[in-house]
Amino acid sequence: MPKGELLMRGSYKVIIQNNRVQFKLTINRNLTIIQGNSATGKTTLLDMVAAHEELGAQSGVTVSCKVPCKTISGKYWRRDLQEISSSIVFIDEGNTFVRSREFAHEAKRSSNYYVIVARESLRQLPYSVDEIYGLKNTNRTTTKYPVYSRVYTSTYRIYGDTDFRGERPELVIVEDTNSGYEFFSLLCKKSSIKCISAGGKSNICNCIMDAPENDILVIADGAAFGPEIAEAAALLRRKNIKLFLPESFEWLVLKSGLFNSKHIKDMLLNPAEHIESSKFFSWEKFFTAELIECSRDTRFRYDKSCLNEEYLNPTALAALEDTLPDLGITSH
């Protein structure tokens, strides 16, 4: 990272307003997606950021944030992005480059956070299911004259948490083929429940559609499952599907208490404050690196490709099971 460049980590509050509308956003990660209905202000938001960037106070727009807010667009996006660092960059999906591998590569190398208005999934980017938002508007009249009322716009999370009530699934589909799958397949085997690996997040929806079973539990890394969530959610109308989307399997292990250090406890209370965007494009990568590091000189040494048998001893297994909601696949 160049000398003098700010570290981008933690949450950022952004207020963008003029005399007609105010947007309040809290940006928690390096990738935030804004979706939702038409006429909620998505285009207005981008236009206001661009106007302030070009004209400053003369635009009639004020932007309140502790880091710069920028926009990029058009065919010179790569050149423009290389000039931007330690900023929040707003992009509209109408710019076709946002769907390209080239953009994903450049964004991964940068120190920026990105807010992308995208009505459809962006398959090249590993964004979290928790960072997909819609915009909601409320009108408040600031004077006794309604013509001077301002529209106040805030965000809401589109995909909420699944309610688990312990119903036993007929089938469990696990995203990966490695340590996480080994752990969950063992739990399922103990409960005589069929468990398969999807071989990657992009295969999960096909596995759901191809399965003859109707009651299905899907387990995937929520930290990067954002591009798949809309398609998976649409399948809820066809089958009885429950989605368990923790940040990652490594996050569950860190939460289990097997590594009882102050650093791990502090990190889990507020991961965003510990995750530097220029080093970790996805939180899943961060939690993997943390687990590998903290387990390095212990009997629980972690290898993502193959689960250390120490995690399957009764005490460790019980600690890991205690981190789970009642998924219907455990004996307690």
Side-chain angles (χ1 to χ4, degrees):
M1 178 174 290
K3 186 177 180 180
E5 189 170 318
L6 294 173
L7 297 178
M8 288 288 286
R9 60 184 172 204
S11 298
Y12 294 86
K13 294 188 182 300
V14 184
I15 300 177
I16 302 163
Q17 62 185 352
N18 58 19
N19 61 357
R20 293 178 294 104
V21 63
Q22 179 190 87
F23 293 90
K24 278 190 176 182
L25 313 172
T26 300
I27 310 302
N28 299 304
R29 310 193 191 200
N30 59 335
L31 292 172
T32 299
I33 307 298
I34 297 180
Q35 296 181 342
N37 298 326
S38 301
T40 52
K42 297 185 294 293
T43 300
T44 301
L45 169 65
L46 293 166
D47 289 345
M48 288 172 65
V49 175
H52 182 267
E53 183 181 4
E54 183 176 358
L55 300 174
Q58 292 182 7
S59 66
V61 176
T62 60
V63 176
S64 174
C65 184
K66 63 183 179 182
V67 297
C69 293
K70 306 282 189 178
T71 60
I72 58 171
S73 62
K75 64 181 180 179
Y76 299 115
W77 67 269
R78 185 181 287 102
R79 179 200 65 190
D80 294 341
L81 184 57
Q82 289 172 353
E83 299 297 318
I84 299 173
S85 62
S86 303
S87 301
I88 299 175
V89 181
F90 290 75
I91 310 171
D92 185 86
E93 70 166 357
N95 293 285
T96 56
F97 66 78
V98 81
R99 300 182 178 281
S100 68
R101 293 186 182 275
E102 290 77 12
F103 171 71
H105 176 72
E106 294 295 333
K108 183 177 181 180
R109 295 171 56 208
S110 78
S111 61
N112 303 308
Y113 279 23
Y114 295 87
V115 177
I116 304 173
V117 172
R119 295 153 192 83
E120 299 178 2
S121 296
L122 301 172
R123 301 289 182 183
Q124 307 299 340
L125 299 175
Y127 52 93
S128 167
V129 293
D130 290 337
E131 303 306 325
I132 304 173
Y133 297 96
L135 298 179
K136 59 182 178 182
N137 301 326
T138 57
N139 284 79
R140 287 186 232 159
T141 303
T142 55
T143 73
K144 64 181 179 180
Y145 304 105
V147 71
Y148 293 112
S149 66
R150 174 181 282 169
V151 175
Y152 291 81
T153 303
S154 57
T155 59
Y156 65 93
R157 188 171 287 164
I158 291 179
Y159 299 99
D161 295 330
T162 301
D163 181 21
F164 295 103
R165 300 179 181 178
E167 296 99 333
R168 178 186 172 90
E170 299 173 89
L171 171 68
V172 175
I173 300 174
V174 182
E175 172 187 340
D176 64 28
T177 58
N178 303 317
S179 294
Y181 172 66
E182 290 183 53
F183 170 73
F184 286 110
S185 63
L186 175 65
L187 294 188
C188 291
K189 184 177 181 180
K190 289 167 59 178
S191 300
S192 300
I193 297 171
K194 182 180 177 182
C195 180
I196 64 172
S197 168
K201 63 182 181 180
S202 61
N203 296 326
I204 285 177
C205 290
N206 285 336
C207 287
I208 292 172
M209 291 186 290
D210 292 343
E213 293 84 1
N214 186 64
D215 296 318
I216 299 174
L217 172 65
V218 172
I219 302 174
D221 294 343
F225 196 66
E228 321 301 328
I229 185 63
E231 186 178 357
L235 293 176
L236 299 180
R237 296 189 293 269
R238 301 172 61 176
K239 292 188 176 186
N240 181 26
I241 300 167
K242 292 292 181 67
L243 302 173
F244 177 49
L245 304 174
E247 294 285 353
S248 68
F249 175 67
E250 292 77 15
W251 176 78
L252 289 172
V253 175
L254 290 166
K255 280 190 65 182
S256 69
L258 292 175
F259 307 97
N260 198 24
S261 72
K262 184 178 185 302
H263 167 73
I264 295 298
K265 289 180 178 178
D266 291 344
M267 180 274 291
L268 290 172
L269 283 174
N270 192 354
E273 293 296 335
H274 296 260
I275 302 175
E276 186 184 330
S277 62
S278 62
K279 290 185 178 180
F280 298 100
F281 200 42
S282 165
W283 281 23
E284 184 272 336
K285 301 291 186 186
F286 169 79
F287 292 121
T288 299
E290 284 286 296
L291 181 54
I292 290 172
E293 180 59 31
C294 76
S295 68
R296 188 180 304 280
D297 298 318
T298 75
R299 63 192 179 98
F300 292 111
R301 182 182 178 92
Y302 184 73
D303 183 344
K304 189 175 181 68
S305 65
C306 181
L307 188 63
N308 181 342
E309 289 187 0
E310 287 292 336
Y311 287 103
L312 303 180
N313 74 52
T315 301
L317 194 61
L320 289 170
E321 286 189 60
D322 284 343
T323 68
L324 305 176
D326 193 354
L327 302 174
I329 62 173
T330 59
S331 55
H332 67 282

